Amino acid sequence: MIWSLLTAVIAVAVRGATTATAGPSGCVSFDVNWNLLAFGVNGKDYNAGTQDTWTSSSSLTDITTQGRPPFNAGNATCYLSQFTNAIYVLNADSANPSSIYIYDAAAKSWSRQTVDAGKFDPTNFATILDHDTNVFYSYSDGELFSLDMGLLKAANSTPIPWVDVQQPDLSVDQTGAAVPGANTAGYQPVMALAQNHVHFLGVPGMPAGSAKIFVIHFSYMQPAPQSYGNFPTSHGKTASFFLDAGVQQEFAYIPDDGSATYVINVEVSQIFTKYSNTLVYPCGQKNTTKTLTGPPQQDPFASYSASTSALVQLTTSGKVAFLPYQPSSTTSGGTWTTISKIPIASASGNSSNGTAISSGNTPADSTGNNSTNTTKNSSAGTSSTRMGSQSLICALTAVALAVAGVVAL
Ligand SMILES: *[C@@H]1O[C@H](CO)[C@@H](O)[C@H](O)[C@H]1NC(C)=O
Ligand SMILES: *[C@@H]1O[C@H](CO)[C@@H](O)[C@H](O)[C@H]1NC(C)=O
Ligand SMILES: *[C@@H]1O[C@H](CO)[C@@H](O)[C@H](O)[C@H]1NC(C)=O
Ligand SMILES: *[C@@H]1O[C@H](CO)[C@@H](O)[C@H](O)[C@H]1NC(C)=O
Ligand SMILES: *[C@@H]1O[C@H](CO)[C@@H](O)[C@H](O)[C@H]1NC(C)=O
Ligand SMILES: *[C@@H]1O[C@H](CO)[C@@H](O)[C@H](O)[C@H]1NC(C)=O
Ligand SMILES: *[C@@H]1O[C@H](CO)[C@@H](O)[C@H](O)[C@H]1NC(C)=O
Ligand SMILES: *[C@@H]1O[C@H](CO)[C@@H](O)[C@H](O)[C@H]1NC(C)=O
């Protein structure tokens, strides 16, 4: 009791001190049954149940237990390992900045995995957890690193190293051509995962709607960027939508200004551009990005997590909101709604008062009033995914090639 009180006080104090430059001290994630887990909010951890119960006051379970990280570092992020039903938590312990905390969602237990950081800088990185290999890939100070979590749902006593993979060439020019050796120093990484490919967004000079791709299974950085449609080349946050089984095929990208939520489906585009320099070149123009409503709070430090059917935002001040999303739907996603049953730190802690970010943050009211516009823009997000006649030709060509054994779809 005293310990958890202390933890709460420390978390609140640190949150107050770091809100100007750091994201949330806690994080949100899911277990494999798509229960929403909120860690390190209000000094506690909660299971908020499945999506159908998020807006009701019931089904909020306090899952705070021993061995949990102090959630006092800022910029915490967490990742579901779908094979193990474990959540890996980074940046949750200022005394052990490179440690990875592991929450076994089935056993409801915590452990701390020590890490041999090497050249990896735990205060400056972006990362993804690859679905199939359970390996983290991160970009830190211009270097790509990997860290193999094996099939861990409890910490191993041997430290796990961040392995230096390569110095990726992320440079491009406006025509989309690679510019080897060009300067990307100072690039604030935006990494997204889909189809076991790491997508780098917001690379300076890259054409809008493009991503540089690192192919995990071949440890290969594709020289030319891939075009996915329309979204800005800017810094932002991402979260991959899970499937009940198999690799993620699409991810959400929220630019720092929170002006929109872009959902990029890499699957469609990859089929259509597989032979982009030969037969099906025009197919490379296919726009596979849906443009959905931006989050209710425009917090550039907010973190995001996605299930199979929702995108969840956690703001620096500890507010949680979600956007329902149906991958198969060609219409826009649903409406952002605040999950008010998850308590925020300021409710009991007298900390950031829910308005932590002074610049560039224009929070809606706590009920998410601004996110309840139910008038759907019927053209938003659909125009880009409808299949025109040219795309149909492309599709038929691709299928014909597949049947002929030329292309493996
Ligand atoms: C948190 O992340 C921001 C960039 O998003 C960075 O400027 C800041 O130094 C980080 N703070 C900590 C404590 O890691
Ligand atoms: C709570 O916040 C108020 C207003 O900022 C301040 O006057 C008060 O001292 C704070 N209380 C505690 C316990 O920090
Ligand atoms: C919290 O907000 C209230 C009302 O806006 C304000 O009076 C108070 O000073 C704030 N407290 C802190 C700690 O910022
Ligand atoms: C939400 O907005 C509506 C319309 O502007 C307003 O009538 C209502 O009072 C607001 N709700 C809250 C809780 O502020
Ligand atoms: C909602 O957003 C609009 C436009 O951004 C703004 O004028 C308004 O004050 C916000 N709040 C509410 C409760 O509507
Ligand atoms: C709701 O959204 C629609 C479509 O984007 C827009 O035309 C309408 O003005 C919005 N209504 C309000 C109250 O913001
Ligand atoms: C609806 O979305 C389309 C396509 O994104 C856009 O061109 C149009 O301006 C939007 N209309 C409204 C009312 O938001
Ligand atoms: C791509 O889709 C976006 C979002 O729907 C839309 O705003 C944009 O105009 C589309 N671009 C093209 C070239 O069709």
Side-chain angles (χ1 to χ4, degrees):
M1 182 59 191
I2 288 175
W3 170 244
S4 58
L5 266 176
L6 262 177
T7 311
V9 168
I10 291 168
V12 161
V14 170
R15 191 194 315 268
T18 57
T19 43
T21 54
S25 307
C27 58
V28 285
S29 189
F30 294 89
D31 65 18
V32 293
N33 299 311
W34 314 119
N35 291 296
L36 173 62
L37 307 175
F39 298 109
V41 293
N42 192 34
K44 293 190 168 188
D45 309 328
Y46 296 100
N47 181 332
T50 49
Q51 191 171 339
D52 53 325
T53 69
W54 292 348
T55 53
S56 82
S57 56
S58 63
S59 310
L60 183 73
T61 309
D62 185 343
I63 55 168
T64 313
T65 189
Q66 60 177 357
R68 67 194 286 273
F71 294 105
N72 62 359
N75 291 341
T77 53
C78 51
Y79 305 85
L80 167 63
S81 162
Q82 196 175 12
F83 285 123
T84 65
N85 195 17
I87 290 92
Y88 303 144
V89 182
L90 277 64
N91 278 5
D93 181 356
S94 62
N96 297 285
S98 61
S99 284
I100 297 175
Y101 279 80
I102 302 176
Y103 180 69
D104 181 332
K108 300 181 170 57
S109 62
W110 287 97
S111 54
R112 180 170 71 88
Q113 176 63 56
T114 56
V115 167
D116 179 0
K119 289 198 300 176
F120 173 79
D121 178 359
T123 66
N124 176 16
F125 70 98
T127 194
I128 57 91
L129 176 67
D130 182 45
H131 180 273
D132 285 0
T133 61
N134 220 32
V135 172
F136 278 108
Y137 281 84
S138 78
Y139 182 93
S140 173
D141 293 332
E143 204 74 25
L144 190 63
F145 295 88
S146 68
L147 186 150
D148 188 349
M149 291 300 288
L151 282 173
L152 292 182
K153 48 186 177 179
N156 194 314
S157 58
T158 311
I160 306 179
W162 275 111
V163 177
D164 195 339
V165 176
Q166 62 171 235
Q167 190 171 22
D169 181 9
L170 295 175
S171 54
V172 286
D173 67 16
Q174 274 296 323
T175 67
V179 185
N183 185 18
T184 51
Y187 167 55
Q188 292 298 307
V190 184
M191 294 170 76
L193 174 72
Q195 205 42 271
N196 305 310
H197 289 25
V198 181
H199 293 74
F200 290 91
L201 309 182
V203 180
M206 190 160 64
S210 302
K212 283 279 280 193
I213 293 176
F214 178 77
V215 184
I216 290 172
H217 292 174
F218 297 100
S219 203
Y220 174 67
M221 176 64 71
Q222 292 183 2
Q226 168 77 52
S227 173
Y228 285 113
N230 267 18
F231 51 85
T233 297
S234 66
H235 189 262
K237 296 289 173 59
T238 71
S240 300
F241 288 99
F242 279 92
L243 300 175
D244 280 316
V247 295
Q248 304 95 331
Q249 298 181 344
E250 49 189 352
F251 59 84
Y253 159 59
I254 305 93
D256 280 349
D257 68 7
S259 53
T261 300
Y262 299 94
V263 178
I264 291 123
N265 185 322
V266 308
E267 188 64 10
V268 178
S269 202
Q270 279 187 356
I271 291 170
F272 284 97
T273 60
K274 196 151 277 182
Y275 281 74
S276 61
N277 56 348
T278 56
L279 284 173
V280 289
Y281 172 74
C283 306
Q285 307 302 310
K286 187 165 173 59
N287 185 348
T288 56
T289 300
K290 293 181 197 173
T291 306
L292 310 181
T293 320
Q297 302 221 39
Q298 286 77 44
D299 178 354
F301 295 106
S303 63
Y304 297 84
S305 184
S307 63
T308 52
S309 56
L311 174 66
V312 177
Q313 180 198 47
L314 172 67
T315 68
T316 311
S317 61
K319 284 184 183 172
V320 183
F322 78 103
L323 177 70
Y325 178 68
Q326 287 301 330
S328 56
S329 167
T330 53
T331 60
S332 66
T335 301
W336 282 96
T337 305
T338 298
I339 305 179
S340 48
K341 71 178 171 184
I342 298 176
I344 61 175
S346 53
S348 69
N350 201 27
S351 65
S352 53
N353 231 359
T355 54
I357 306 293
S358 54
S359 64
N361 189 21
T362 53
D365 62 48
S366 61
T367 59
N369 229 9
N370 247 9
S371 63
T372 51
N373 182 351
T374 51
T375 311
K376 284 210 174 92
N377 178 350
S378 56
S379 57
T382 57
S383 56
S384 60
T385 48
R386 279 200 196 109
M387 194 177 275
S389 59
Q390 186 177 56
S391 298
L392 191 57
I393 293 167
C394 295
L396 292 173
T397 310
V399 168
L401 285 170
V403 169
V406 178
V407 189
L409 289 183

